[in-house]
Amino acid sequence: MLEETYGHTPLEKMFDKADVYGVGFDKQRAARKPLRLGIIGAGGVAQSKHIPALLRLRTIWEPVTLAAVSSVDERSGKRLEQSYNCRWYADYQQMLQREKLDGVLVAGPSELHVEHAIACIQAGIAALVEKPPSRSLSEAARLCRLAEERNVPLMTVANKRYSPPYRGAKRFVREGPLKDPAMFCGKFNLGYDYVANLLQDGTIHLLDLARYFMGDVRAVSAVGVNKYARNPSAPFDNAVITLAFVSGSIGSIYTASSALSLKPWERVEIYANKCWLAVEDQYELALFDSEAGPAKSWRPVVPNTLIFDEEFGGYMGQLENFLQVIRGEESPLVTGWDGYRALELCTAAQQAIESRQTIALPLPEAASVD
């Protein structure tokens, strides 16, 4: 039942076994091979999302250790060192050389993702790279090919794929009743004034979800306006993107950096034959599959004091998949090439806005936008 797997901890374990917080001994998880992770770029996302996800996994018996972090910010680095009993390095190269790491989360500035990830791959260390994997398609492709040549796991952060509501939606698309969907619709707001690239720094998540549910894209059209010009470095603050999928299906995404970010900021709808579903704010999944029968909806059934953002945001599932890929026990749900394709959609959308033309895919790797 979808209800039983909607969260990371099965409801039977939480209630029937009185393990409300999900911390009871997990023999199967505890028996896994212990792994040591490092982080390059311990900024806000790493500290507020990825590290809490790692600590929560440790709480439920995942044998993983945060061994080291690399940050150019000495004050932040030393605080992390003291808080999590890990070693801090100002120089990420020293961290890679001195620590015996099984995997590294690459979470520094986007412009440095490829440099940092290549260093990991060359050292034989698996890498999980924050989005976008690069600002350049050619550099992203170079990274993916190097990982293939060295046979080193490379994954791209796409945490929404691991979020319970989207996992449930994927089941409906994969197994029915929404097989062979006709249309994808998405909304995404990113109302932070510091955001310079609405597509690569935010909407890339929704573009990745469009591929995840609907398959590859063959053409992209888009229009954009800089209606309020609040950020002088941003070329537009509102955009509408139209997608034509290889399957013959269609999609649209509307996205804004001038709106509020939190009331609500995200919605996905998928339409099939006589049924459709909606995921509201990465929280509630609703299925409409009958004219006469009731709508069906799923949302957290435990008090919100027990809902962990690192779990419902998909960060725990993503990190656990990365660990299992390193162990050779699972395949990656999102690869380096998936990150490349999401960046390709961002690039095509921006080209379409600037040229006012439909952009055919795949793009040449040399394609870029200023």
Side-chain angles (χ1 to χ4, degrees):
M1 295 290 293
L2 186 62
E3 293 93 333
E4 296 173 346
T5 58
Y6 200 56
H8 196 86
T9 304
L11 300 185
E12 180 265 346
K13 181 179 179 182
M14 296 184 73
F15 294 107
D16 293 351
K17 295 185 178 180
D19 185 16
V20 175
Y21 295 99
V23 297
F25 179 59
D26 189 326
K27 181 179 179 180
Q28 182 178 5
R29 183 178 275 115
R32 293 171 175 174
K33 176 185 176 182
L35 297 177
R36 291 166 51 85
L37 294 189
I39 298 177
I40 299 176
V45 174
Q47 293 187 44
S48 65
K49 304 298 183 182
H50 296 296
I51 292 178
L54 184 150
L55 296 177
R56 177 61 183 161
L57 284 173
R58 283 174 56 88
T59 300
I60 60 174
W61 298 91
E62 179 70 34
V64 58
T65 299
L66 178 59
V69 296
S70 172
S71 172
V72 296
D73 184 337
E74 180 178 0
R75 182 173 61 179
S76 177
K78 288 186 175 180
R79 182 176 64 83
L80 291 170
E81 186 174 54
Q82 295 171 358
S83 298
Y84 302 114
N85 194 31
C86 60
R87 279 180 286 276
W88 163 67
Y89 293 86
D91 185 341
Y92 75 92
Q93 292 282 10
Q94 288 185 1
M95 183 185 78
L96 297 179
Q97 293 168 7
R98 296 178 183 178
E99 299 288 339
K100 294 182 179 180
L101 301 174
D102 299 291
V104 169
L105 168 65
V106 177
S110 299
E111 293 75 13
L112 298 177
H113 284 174
V114 169
E115 175 189 323
H116 293 162
I118 284 178
C120 295
I121 300 300
Q122 289 176 335
I125 302 171
L128 173 61
V129 185
E130 259 289 359
K131 53 80 186 163
S134 171
R135 293 297 189 188
S136 156
L137 285 178
S138 60
E139 286 295 290
R142 182 165 73 97
L143 172 61
C144 292
R145 291 197 177 95
L146 178 65
E148 290 176 341
E149 293 168 3
R150 300 292 181 95
N151 195 29
V152 177
L154 171 67
M155 293 175 59
T156 308
V157 167
N159 53 286
K160 293 183 186 296
R161 292 193 184 199
Y162 299 86
S163 178
Y166 286 128
R167 292 208 321 261
K170 181 65 174 181
R171 276 186 58 184
F172 288 138
V173 172
R174 183 179 62 244
E175 302 170 9
L178 278 94
K179 283 187 175 180
D180 191 26
M183 184 167 65
F184 175 98
C185 297
K187 178 201 80 171
F188 188 79
N189 296 341
L190 193 65
Y192 306 129
D193 290 342
Y194 64 84
V195 173
N197 194 311
L198 173 61
L199 300 181
Q200 292 188 15
D201 295 330
T203 316
I204 189 171
H205 278 297
L206 225 57
L207 289 164
D208 176 73
L209 284 176
R211 280 194 67 246
Y212 181 52
F213 286 116
M214 309 293 288
D216 283 330
V217 178
R218 65 172 181 81
V220 177
S221 302
V223 291
V225 296
N226 199 10
K227 183 74 172 179
Y228 305 107
R230 295 173 63 183
N231 188 333
S233 63
F236 47 85
D237 53 22
N238 285 260
V240 178
I241 304 166
T242 303
L243 307 171
F245 296 95
V246 172
S247 65
S249 299
I250 56 176
S252 67
I253 293 173
Y254 53 102
T255 183
S257 62
S258 62
L260 297 173
S261 279
L262 304 176
K263 295 184 178 179
W265 80 335
E266 181 176 302
R267 181 179 174 88
V268 163
E269 299 176 357
I270 301 174
Y271 294 83
N273 189 20
K274 295 297 182 180
C275 62
W276 66 285
L277 64 77
V279 177
E280 185 70 36
D281 245 15
Q282 200 175 318
Y283 179 75
E284 181 175 14
L285 167 61
L287 174 67
F288 308 89
D289 61 351
S290 170
E291 297 284 8
K296 305 173 181 70
S297 64
W298 294 262
R299 61 189 307 176
V301 296
V302 294
N304 60 14
T305 53
L306 302 183
I307 290 296
F308 301 96
D309 178 55
E310 54 267 28
E311 175 182 339
F312 237 68
Y315 295 94
M316 283 173 61
Q318 176 176 259
L319 182 56
E320 187 170 17
N321 182 218
F322 181 52
L323 298 175
Q324 288 292 77
V325 168
I326 293 172
R327 295 181 180 116
E329 298 294 331
E330 292 181 5
S331 298
L333 180 60
V334 54
T335 66
W337 284 111
D338 286 319
Y340 172 90
R341 294 302 175 198
L343 178 63
E344 180 183 45
L345 289 175
C346 290
T347 305
Q350 189 157 341
Q351 287 184 349
I353 291 172
E354 293 176 353
S355 67
R356 301 184 180 183
Q357 296 179 352
T358 297
I359 306 299
L361 273 64
L363 294 176
E365 290 178 8
S368 63
V369 290
D370 296 330

